[in-house]
Amino acid sequence: MRFSAPKGTYDILPPESAAFLAVVEALSRPAILAGYGYVQTPLFEDTALYQRGVGESTDVVSKEMYTFHDKGGRSLTLRPEGTAGVMRAIVEHRLYAGQLPVKLWYTGPNFRYEQPQSGRYRQHVQVGLEAVGVDDPALDAEVVAIADDGYRSLQLTDYTLGLTSLGDEQCRPGYRRLLVEFLDGLDLDADTRRRVQLNPLRVLDDKRPNVQAQLVDAPLPPDHLCGDCAAHLESVQSRLRALGVPYVVSPRLVRGLDYYTRTTFEFTHRGLGAQASIGGGGRYDGLLETVGGPAMSGIGFGLGVDRTMLALAAEGRVVAEPARCRVFGVPLGELAAARLFVLVAELRRAGIAADLAYGGRGLKGAMKAADRSGATYAVVLGDRDIQAGTAQLKDLRSGEQIAVPLDSLVATVQERLT
RNA sequence: GUGGGUGUAGCUCAGCUGGUAGAGCACCGGGUUGUGAUCCCGGGUGUCGCGGGUUCAAGUCCCGUCACUCACCCCA
């Protein structure tokens, strides 16, 4: 039996894995600087949490969840998105009773049973954050700007921020009726008709040309906002302008999760193919209440780490050099191997990245390994040197080599590397 | 769930109308147990995705299946 990674999953190996870690770091740093604390929630939750929190009418819940029963008969589901679990934690630990807003960030994998394609996997990693308990458009702008700062710190340029408002419980129902009325007059297939009933907003961003052609005169959310929602959207925009965050108002932007209200946004990258969204989020007033908490507003985002990697590749950006070895031990014979084994450990304890030729490779092979390790120095040690109480310290770039007393080798290397 | 494309070495790929599996790179060893990145020599590391069929003979033709990939729906 030959095993391979399950469908829709993949391995991240060196040296690219170093870039992956760097992307997680780059996307989360702006959140940390903005006062968001790290939260880690389980990779699986009670199935009902997602059914209630994400919404039964969403594709995520209706057909993409990895649901299973544990030995206690509980129905559990592998986390399909990050927000619901964080809301559960906020309610369970009554974080909403403390200082507001509650600001949390997280990273980790999400699981969705989907048909894989470019940029879409059954397991994907996000960096996300949530700000709960304060209803202030400035907070919306902060959240959007944090995401933009993350992408910008990675030198990404070929992306666009789309922004809109989906309205609230005041104006959404009326708009929804208007939209359904319009959509009912169109020539749509059965699948889409069903969607009109479940969540008509989502028909707006259907990509099929024959559908889009019929939507040119469709009523759009930003044109039917109540006064409060319109003022909110305008305030978010003016804050973004103040920060110099470029955005485009995208009236057809809709998201597939039911909980979004008012501010909704999405970052799309031009180098990615069909799955172009590298991150998105929005306001979800009412979600906390849905999962058993008080009626409090909230806003957050999820940024796709896998897709950000693809975006970086599309722009030809190399993110991080793999952590490189600085000193490489080349032993000649058993005695030298034993001595170098300890010496290399001492270098590491002194904070110097060091490695050693294992397996008695012979001088040529060991030197080759030293070269490939990227080390600045090779320490060559043989019987002759041990007799003399020295080691040969070779600069692999210049080829120069000097004898250094074994006792002071760590100190000498430390000095030369700084 | 639906549709298209592709499966040959670690990677990128060649292999014609069927005739017993190759190249480049990578890797390993040697040239030199006291010096790497250059050079020279040597080594193929393979379930031709898998199963079945046709044939004297299948990487090649047929059927099935699986995987990968791209796209739709949807999302990061």
Side-chain angles (χ1 to χ4, degrees):
Chain A
M1 178 68 191
R2 193 172 164 162
F3 293 106
S4 56
K7 187 182 183 76
T9 67
Y10 65 105
D11 302 307
I12 305 172
L13 308 169
E16 291 78 23
S17 52
F20 190 91
L21 290 176
V23 167
V24 171
E25 156 78 12
L27 293 180
S28 54
R29 193 181 309 125
I32 293 166
L33 290 173
Y36 290 73
Y38 177 70
V39 62
Q40 186 164 331
T41 63
L43 286 190
F44 52 86
E45 297 272 3
D46 194 319
T47 299
L49 173 69
Y50 296 122
Q51 289 169 337
R52 297 262 294 280
V54 182
E56 297 273 14
S57 76
T58 63
D59 285 24
V60 168
V61 170
S62 63
K63 57 184 200 192
E64 294 173 0
M65 294 208 300
Y66 276 96
T67 297
F68 62 97
H69 290 273
D70 72 3
K71 292 182 181 179
R74 288 169 277 260
S75 179
L76 301 170
T77 294
L78 256 36
R79 170 168 90 193
E81 60 93 54
T83 302
V86 174
M87 291 309 113
R88 193 224 79 228
I90 288 174
V91 173
E92 180 171 345
H93 304 288
R94 297 179 185 274
L95 301 185
Y96 55 80
Q99 186 167 8
L100 300 177
V102 178
K103 286 178 159 188
L104 299 169
W105 78 275
Y106 56 88
T107 185
N110 294 329
F111 306 87
R112 292 179 199 165
Y113 190 84
E114 303 198 76
Q115 201 55 246
Q117 72 185 75
S118 180
R120 195 178 65 184
Y121 311 103
R122 290 186 174 180
Q123 174 174 343
H124 74 275
V125 173
Q126 289 185 15
V127 168
L129 64 72
E130 317 292 346
V132 169
V134 170
D135 189 5
D136 183 341
L139 206 48
D140 301 39
E142 172 180 288
V143 165
V144 172
I146 286 170
D148 189 61
D149 281 348
Y151 293 131
R152 257 204 291 207
S153 74
L154 289 166
Q155 321 280 313
L156 279 179
T157 57
D158 205 13
Y159 67 90
T160 306
L161 163 60
L163 180 75
T164 188
S165 174
L166 298 180
D168 62 9
E169 68 277 11
Q170 295 297 313
C171 46
R172 182 116 71 125
Y175 165 71
R176 188 189 155 115
R177 273 193 300 278
L178 205 63
L179 180 62
V180 170
E181 202 174 302
F182 173 84
L183 294 173
D184 278 341
L186 301 182
D187 175 31
L188 301 169
D189 59 283
D191 249 18
T192 310
R193 293 215 160 279
R194 204 161 24 250
R195 207 145 14 108
V196 170
Q197 298 311 312
L198 276 170
N199 192 336
L201 280 278
R202 286 189 8 230
V203 178
L204 287 177
D205 71 347
D206 194 310
K207 280 188 213 155
R208 291 170 296 183
N210 59 318
V211 178
Q212 270 307 322
Q214 300 185 67
L215 292 175
V216 284
D217 297 321
L220 297 173
D223 301 326
H224 298 82
L225 298 176
C226 60
D228 285 351
C229 283
H232 188 97
L233 178 60
E234 179 45 45
S235 179
V236 173
Q237 291 185 66
S238 80
R239 300 280 183 173
L240 288 177
R241 284 194 295 270
L243 293 179
V245 175
Y247 64 89
V248 177
V249 175
S250 309
R252 285 163 199 278
L253 173 57
V254 184
R255 320 223 62 239
L257 309 181
D258 279 355
Y259 49 62
Y260 286 115
T261 57
R262 289 195 169 176
T263 308
T264 304
F265 58 94
E266 186 170 64
F267 292 85
T268 54
H269 194 276
R270 273 174 289 279
L272 286 200
Q275 309 304 317
S277 169
I278 54 175
R283 183 160 276 286
Y284 43 80
D285 301 339
L287 176 57
L288 201 70
E289 202 174 2
T290 311
V291 300
M296 272 186 181
S297 64
I299 181 162
F301 67 52
L303 310 181
V305 176
D306 309 75
R307 286 190 188 170
T308 301
M309 294 287 289
L310 294 174
L312 287 164
E315 292 196 22
R317 290 235 136 60
V318 178
V319 173
E321 286 292 304
R324 302 220 91 177
C325 179
R326 307 301 302 276
V327 181
F328 199 92
V330 177
L332 293 155
E334 293 286 321
L335 190 61
R339 191 72 185 77
L340 270 183
F341 179 74
V342 174
L343 193 63
V344 160
E346 286 170 357
L347 284 165
R348 292 170 183 165
R349 285 170 184 160
I352 297 164
D355 203 356
L356 172 64
Y358 286 104
R361 299 187 73 185
L363 181 59
K364 184 193 176 80
M367 281 305 292
K368 210 174 208 175
D371 186 50
R372 282 175 198 161
S373 74
T376 313
Y377 291 105
V379 177
V380 183
L381 191 69
D383 293 343
R384 256 173 18 213
D385 306 298
I386 295 174
Q387 292 251 308
T390 61
Q392 302 299 320
L393 183 64
K394 177 166 186 171
D395 185 321
L396 288 168
R397 255 160 262 194
S398 66
E400 280 171 48
Q401 183 169 307
I402 55 167
V404 176
L406 275 168
D407 299 345
S408 59
L409 191 101
V410 173
T412 305
V413 168
Q414 210 156 18
E415 195 179 315
R416 294 202 165 224
L417 281 176
T418 47

